[in-house]
Amino acid sequence: FTVGTGGGGNRPVTLTLEAENIASNCQPSSSGGAGITGTTITIVRDGGGCAAARLVRSRGGTQIGTYQVNCSSPEVAACIERDETLTTTGLAPAGYVVRVGGKIGAVDCWIGEAHLDVPATGQLQTKIALRRQSAPGC
């Protein structure tokens, strides 16, 4: 995550996702990729409660779509590639847990989680690593 500088109000946060030890999140495993076909994201405040943020999907500075965080019924977006960014200005300075599921079909075969402390000022950079699960169908 990258958190912008400045004081007060909600902070801009940018998220990137990377399947561990794989060159591509979205390419099929037969081509050396993770084979992810769908992605879910939840953002929960420390102490509980969903942070329903709107994430803007971009690649190379060009907007390619949006993702609406909904913890009770997460949207299943198309695969989000390593070179994409997800940016929001919907998070106030506080602590959050971000959970990401990388689906192959209907199964969460790749899972990542990161704790994020959004500061009132300053910058924080973190990548969410997606780890392969050994569930049936993965």
Side-chain angles (χ1 to χ4, degrees), residues 3-124:
V3 179
T5 59
N10 291 353
R11 309 305 317 140
V13 175
T14 301
L15 162 69
T16 57
L17 311 176
E18 292 187 4
E20 284 189 331
N21 304 314
I22 301 289
S24 167
N25 294 345
C26 304
Q27 291 296 317
S29 57
S30 61
S31 299
I36 295 171
T37 57
T39 307
T40 60
I41 302 168
T42 59
I43 304 174
V44 179
R45 292 177 191 88
D46 283 354
C50 184
R54 181 178 171 264
L55 303 171
V56 176
R57 291 179 68 170
S58 299
R59 178 178 282 131
T62 302
Q63 183 176 334
I64 57 175
T66 60
Y67 183 94
Q68 182 62 48
V69 175
N70 179 337
C71 299
S72 62
S73 180
E75 172 185 344
V76 179
C79 180
I80 297 171
E81 192 53 270
R82 297 168 71 96
D83 64 348
E84 286 186 51
T85 58
L86 297 162
T87 305
T88 184
T89 56
L91 298 178
Y96 301 89
V97 176
V98 180
R99 294 183 182 101
V100 178
K103 295 184 172 296
I104 297 177
V107 182
D108 282 331
C109 291
W110 294 86
I111 300 212
E113 181 174 294
H115 186 268
L116 175 66
D117 285 315
V118 177
T121 63
Q123 188 174 47
L124 170 70

